[in-house]
């Protein structure tokens, strides 16, 4: 009987699921009062306009660009697979805590609110994550400068969607 070895994608999915379990356990361990207090402190999203939107776009784009650059550099290292598994686990943990927070605040509408808070930028950032993770799992570790410039363009589109489209969509849902 041959035992099937786990592929890189299996490890990424396992790490994400483990992060979700750990995030849910953390919320249960620290208790709902902490989560409810955080829910009370968060307000409704304001829709920025004019120069405020441009300044906010600059801050969000700079943050996302640093994250993409860190992912690109992690993919160039020898230990890229374990690093991407750690990042995947952190993403699952963050998603579980955010979903718990929204569920505490909105009840049964927590899941739709969570999905609305990620729309539409998750489509763009998902492509960026998939490309970075696939490069990290590849055999050859080489610089793909042209492709990285394309990722910068995708990141700018994601930041624009996060600043311009998401607040309008979220205000409609919430």
């Amino acid at each position: 009987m041959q035992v099937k070895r786990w592929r890189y994608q299996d490890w990424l999915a396992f790490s994400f699921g483990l992060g979700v379990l750990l995030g849910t356990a953390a919320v249960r361990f620290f208790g709902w009062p902490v989560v409810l207090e955080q829910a009370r402190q968060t307000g409704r999203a304001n829709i920025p306009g004019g120069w405020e939107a441009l300044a906010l776009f600059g801050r969000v784009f700079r943050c996302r660009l640093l994250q993409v650059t860190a992912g690109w550099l992690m993919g160039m290292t020898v230990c890229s697979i374990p690093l991407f598994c750690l990042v995947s686990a952190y993403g699952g943990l963050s998603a579980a805590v955010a979903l718990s927070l929204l569920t505490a605040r909105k009840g049964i509408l927590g899941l739709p609110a969570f999905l609305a808070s990620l729309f539409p930028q998750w489509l763009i950032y998902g492509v960026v994550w998939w490309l970075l993770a696939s490069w990290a799992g590849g055999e050859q570790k080489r610089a793909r400068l042209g492709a990285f410039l394309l990722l910068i363009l995708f990141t700018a589109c994601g930041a624009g969607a996060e600043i311009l489209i998401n607040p309008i969509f979220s205000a409609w849902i919430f």
Side-chain angles (χ1 to χ4, degrees), residues 33-51:
V34 173
V35 175
L36 288 174
E37 183 60 31
Q38 287 291 328
R40 278 190 215 100
Q41 291 178 3
T42 58
R44 221 172 181 202
N46 294 330
I47 300 173
W51 292 109

Side-chain angles (χ1 to χ4, degrees), residues 143-157:
R144 296 173 175 89
L145 191 57
F148 183 69
L149 293 175
L150 186 63
L151 285 182
I152 291 173
L153 177 67
F154 269 61
T155 304
C157 292

